[in-house]
């Protein structure tokens, strides 16, 4: 067995390098897919945050209206 390895060390080295290369390429592909998924998730979360910020902005900027103000606006023809 040892003599076989010594005589074919070049071929064994090629096989090790080939397996390592395949592993690295597969790992790179998996990480690229994960990166794309995370990027899409971040974009969706950013959109949700923008919508929530707009809703908060509108809710903070609205003035409370009581019944007397509504009646006055109705009389003035604004409502």
């Amino acid at each position: 067995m040892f003599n076989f390895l010594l005589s074919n060390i070049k071929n064994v080295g090629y096989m090790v390098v080939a397996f390592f290369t395949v592993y690295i390429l597969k790992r790179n592909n998996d990480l690229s897919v994960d990166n794309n998924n995370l990027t899409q998730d971040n974009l969706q979360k950013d959109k949700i945050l923008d919508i929530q910020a707009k809703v908060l902005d509108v809710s903070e900027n609205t003035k409370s209206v009581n019944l007397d103000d509504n009646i006055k606006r109705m009389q003035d023809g604004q409502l």
Side-chain angles (χ1 to χ4, degrees), residues 2-42:
F2 188 68
N3 288 335
F4 174 75
L5 288 176
L6 285 178
S7 63
N8 293 319
I9 193 102
K10 193 175 193 181
N11 292 335
V12 171
Y14 288 146
M15 287 190 330
V16 169
V17 168
F19 284 125
F20 184 71
T21 302
V22 168
Y23 171 76
I24 293 295
L25 290 175
K26 174 71 172 136
R27 184 72 176 143
N28 185 36
N29 187 28
D30 292 344
L31 289 174
S32 295
V33 169
D34 288 344
N35 187 29
N36 288 338
N37 290 339
L38 290 173
T39 302
Q40 292 299 325
D41 287 345
N42 281 344

Side-chain angles (χ1 to χ4, degrees), residues 58-69:
V58 168
S59 66
E60 288 174 352
N61 292 335
T62 56
K63 299 176 183 174
S64 61
V65 178
N66 58 20
L67 186 59
D68 293 333
D69 290 336

